[in-house]
């Protein structure tokens, strides 16, 4: 199986052929501007110390400062962080926001650390990266297993280092520290807006759509909840432990209540309990991977029953699987479009921090809707005109925009 970064290189190479881009430009598109690797050491609750690998990768700031989340996960190694940073540059260009790509990570299992120890890791990350990030340089945000609370620790630590207030150095903050209304649900809301556009052009009725969502965190739970309220039937859900399925439909809010009380989605009664692998290939119309990367691969793509896939997770589908899905006629809204609502509202948060003036939630939602709708239409039209799958269309549009900025700066 390819690594996540090898997948990115493969996609850029394919796009470059389509757009007839020079080798020099391709090389610039697959080379990060900076790879920052640090060892961070924290004191554990029992007085022992532990050293963890920490990363920040910065990818192409020709359209604006680097932007992207920080992941706390045992699989968050340098290759994965590089792939995620590169995807951020593409994503910002797909939705036309003036930012480049960035991503950070710490390789550890936060579930085996206490709240205090996670705070120590967060502060240590911000201290060690302080000289490389900042409001006009590189703006981190939450990602897998990082939260608004963690953003608060990072902001606080960063401001101690630089000695002044700079709320726009990080997004996904709690409201009390300069967060934006609507940020918590933005990724899922953006995914819903593009799904609704797709349903519209395909002439389908949402009340007849059965949905499976893999992952029950910020992206997955919120998406399931929004779609349920709109009238879609949520037939499958999962967390890191188990998956559940019900032909009659699940109420995500009830499932969350049970998960909070008892520990897993599989503690809900009257449902079929499956593995995550089984869930992906269960019967549905729409599959929403919203957990980790490399979930849909050449060994399971053929068995996927959904006719629409909405990639809320980053990198859930491998290039081999893409080819199989295209052959089967599955319409896939790629991560760089489907989950771009998160970075779009992060961008709104940054704009509000810089203005020192905050918008009402309706304003955030309406501005997000305008951007997601236009981005879907741009990608859809480009893909239709060039007879491309939506991922290839999105990549080609984004690469054109990035290359234009690089050329204007005389970088290529
Ligand atoms: P989160 O930490 O809130 O939730 C992650 C979810 O994945 C949890 O429900 C967890 O139980 C589940 N999970 C973990 N390991 C799993 C496994 N092996 N199999 C199945 N499920 C597993 O994270 P999130 O913010 O919801 O992010 C999920 C995905 O969405 C990631 O790929 C992330 O990069 C992407 N994403 C999130 C945002 C955002 O704003 N939250 C924005 C863009 C992209």
């Amino acid at each position: 199986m390819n690594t996540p970064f090898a997948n990115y290189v493969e996609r850029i190479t394919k796009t470059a052929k389509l757009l007839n881009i020079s080798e020099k430009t391709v090389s610039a598109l697959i080379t990060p501007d900076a790879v920052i690797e640090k060892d961070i050491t924290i004191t554990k609750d029992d007085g022992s110390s532990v050293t963890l690998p920490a990363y920040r990768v910065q990818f192409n700031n020709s359209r604006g400062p680097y932007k992207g989340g920080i992941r706390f996960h045992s699989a968050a190694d340098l290759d994965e962080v590089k792939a995620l940073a590169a995807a951020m540059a593409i994503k910002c260009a797909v939705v036309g926001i003036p930012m480049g790509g960035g991503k950070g990570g710490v390789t550890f299992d936060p579930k085996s650390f206490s709240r205090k120890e996670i705070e120590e890791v967060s502060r240590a990350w911000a201290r060690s990266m302080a000289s490389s990030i900042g409001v006009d340089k590189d703006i981190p945000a939450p990602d897998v297993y990082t939260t608004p609370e963690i953003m608060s620790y990072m902001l606080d630590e960063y401001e101690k280092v630089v000695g002044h207030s700079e709320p726009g150095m990080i997004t996904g903050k709690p409201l009390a520290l300069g967060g934006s209304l609507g940020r918590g649900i933005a990724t899922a809301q953006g995914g819903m807006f593009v799904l609704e556009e797709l349903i519209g052009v395909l002439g389908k009725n949402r009340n007849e759509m059965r949905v499976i969502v893999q992952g029950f965190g910020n992206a997955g739970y919120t998406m399931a909840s929004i779609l349920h309220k709109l009238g879609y039937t949520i037939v499958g859900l999962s967390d890191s432990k188990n998956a559940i399925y019900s032909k009659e439909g699940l109420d995500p809010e009830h499932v969350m209540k049970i998960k909070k009380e008892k520990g897993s989605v599989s503690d809900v009664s009257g449902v079929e309990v499956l593995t995550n692998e089984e869930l992906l290939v269960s019967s549905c119309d729409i599959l929403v991977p919203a957990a980790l990367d490399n979930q849909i691969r050449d060994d399971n793509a053929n068995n996927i029953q959904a006719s629409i896939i909405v990639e809320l997770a980053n990198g859930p589908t491998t290039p081999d699987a893409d080819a199989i899905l295209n052959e089967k006629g599955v319409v896939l809204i790629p991560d760089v479009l489907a989950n771009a609502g998160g970075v779009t509202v992060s961008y709104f948060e940054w704009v509000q921090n810089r203005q020192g003036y905050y918008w009402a939630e309706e304003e955030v939602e309406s501005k997000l809707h305008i951007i997601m709708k236009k981005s879907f239409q741009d990608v859809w039209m480009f893909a239709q005109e060039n007879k491309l799958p939506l991922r290839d269309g999105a990549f080609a549009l984004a690469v054109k925009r990035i290359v234009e900025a690089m050329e204007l700066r005389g970088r290529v």
Side-chain angles (χ1 to χ4, degrees):
M1 189 171 64
N2 271 347
T3 67
F5 191 66
N7 287 343
Y8 168 75
V9 172
E10 191 174 329
R11 288 195 171 120
I12 286 292
T13 311
K14 191 172 165 197
T15 307
K17 275 196 198 121
L18 187 80
L19 297 177
N20 214 2
I21 286 174
S22 73
E23 265 179 46
K24 187 179 166 210
T25 306
V26 172
S27 157
L29 288 168
I30 59 172
T31 309
D33 294 344
V35 173
I36 306 150
E37 287 182 80
K38 305 267 176 161
D39 283 334
I40 57 177
T41 302
I42 65 135
T43 306
K44 300 260 288 176
D45 294 344
D46 63 5
S48 65
S49 69
V50 59
T51 299
L52 307 168
Y55 307 102
R56 185 72 185 169
V57 176
Q58 297 172 330
F59 233 104
N60 206 308
N61 63 353
S62 50
R63 300 183 70 259
Y66 307 107
K67 181 88 195 81
I70 303 163
R71 183 171 288 200
F72 285 177
H73 198 274
S74 43
D77 59 8
L78 184 56
D79 184 273
E80 181 175 86
V81 174
K82 251 167 67 181
L84 291 165
M88 286 305 296
I90 299 288
K91 196 181 297 183
C92 292
V94 169
V95 285
I97 61 176
M99 292 180 147
K103 205 80 181 190
V106 183
T107 319
F108 78 115
D109 176 14
K111 286 188 180 168
S112 63
F113 277 51
S114 71
R115 195 163 165 257
K116 183 83 191 85
E117 290 165 345
I118 290 174
E119 177 180 343
E120 290 296 318
V121 173
S122 311
R123 289 187 181 277
W125 189 93
R127 258 194 320 276
S128 71
M129 301 294 172
S131 61
S132 306
I133 58 180
V135 65
D136 286 318
K137 220 186 235 180
D138 182 352
I139 305 111
D143 191 67
V144 174
Y145 295 136
T146 50
T147 57
E149 189 183 22
I150 289 174
M151 300 304 106
S152 310
Y153 302 140
M154 291 185 167
L155 172 69
D156 188 60
E157 200 62 28
Y158 173 85
E159 289 183 343
K160 274 188 208 155
V161 175
V162 299
H164 61 256
S165 169
E166 194 181 310
M169 63 71 55
I170 202 160
T171 60
K173 301 177 292 291
L175 287 181
L177 296 185
S180 175
L181 288 165
R183 173 61 186 91
I185 60 166
T187 301
Q189 205 170 38
M192 174 273 285
F193 286 141
V194 290
L195 172 62
E196 289 271 286
E197 289 298 312
L198 178 67
I199 298 285
V201 293
L202 296 179
K204 296 198 188 262
N205 177 354
R206 60 160 94 111
N207 295 314
E208 290 165 8
M209 298 279 109
R210 296 161 309 138
V211 185
I212 287 177
V213 181
Q214 184 201 34
F216 209 51
N218 175 295
Y221 162 68
T222 316
M223 182 69 161
S225 182
I226 291 176
L227 294 184
H228 173 70
K229 285 184 191 129
L230 280 175
Y232 293 79
T233 306
I234 310 299
V235 289
L237 292 170
S238 76
D239 57 22
S240 60
K241 298 188 195 109
N242 282 306
I244 53 173
Y245 190 89
S246 164
K247 263 196 237 159
E248 286 69 43
L250 299 157
D251 175 353
E253 273 163 40
H254 173 69
V255 177
M256 180 54 97
K257 183 170 168 279
I258 301 293
K259 180 177 159 68
K260 278 190 178 149
E261 281 167 15
K262 303 194 174 160
S264 172
V265 295
S266 58
D267 293 312
V268 172
S269 50
V271 298
E272 204 180 327
V273 177
L274 307 171
T275 63
N276 258 289
E277 271 297 309
E278 289 165 340
L279 182 74
L280 291 174
V281 296
S282 296
S283 179
C284 68
D285 303 294
I286 301 169
L287 174 63
V288 183
L292 299 174
D293 49 22
N294 282 335
Q295 299 298 298
I296 306 174
R297 302 170 305 268
D298 57 356
D299 59 321
N300 63 1
N302 242 325
N303 301 328
I304 300 275
Q305 300 195 44
S307 58
I308 294 174
I309 297 180
V310 184
E311 292 186 329
L312 275 198
N314 282 309
T317 311
T318 65
D320 290 349
D322 258 344
I324 297 168
L325 296 171
N326 287 336
E327 190 68 24
K328 277 162 60 99
V330 176
V331 183
L332 181 149
I333 310 183
D335 50 5
V336 290
L337 174 61
N339 70 32
V343 72
T344 302
V345 176
S346 269
Y347 159 63
F348 294 163
E349 180 176 335
W350 178 80
V351 171
Q352 292 170 79
N353 292 151
R354 301 187 67 131
Q355 292 180 328
Y357 177 72
Y358 291 84
W359 309 341
E361 187 155 5
E362 300 74 46
E363 192 171 352
V364 173
E365 186 176 331
S366 117
K367 285 184 157 78
L368 176 65
H369 191 188
I370 291 168
I371 288 188
M372 297 309 296
K373 185 173 175 163
K374 173 162 191 325
S375 304
F376 176 86
Q377 287 169 350
D378 286 352
V379 170
W380 179 261
M381 291 307 292
F382 189 91
Q384 292 288 107
E385 278 162 15
N386 294 282
K387 299 195 171 31
L388 296 171
L390 293 179
R391 189 190 312 281
D392 295 0
F395 260 70
L397 257 191
V399 166
K400 271 170 82 143
R401 290 172 179 167
I402 294 171
V403 170
E404 183 190 2
M406 289 164 81
E407 282 172 353
L408 286 167
R409 288 172 181 274
R411 290 189 185 174
V412 288

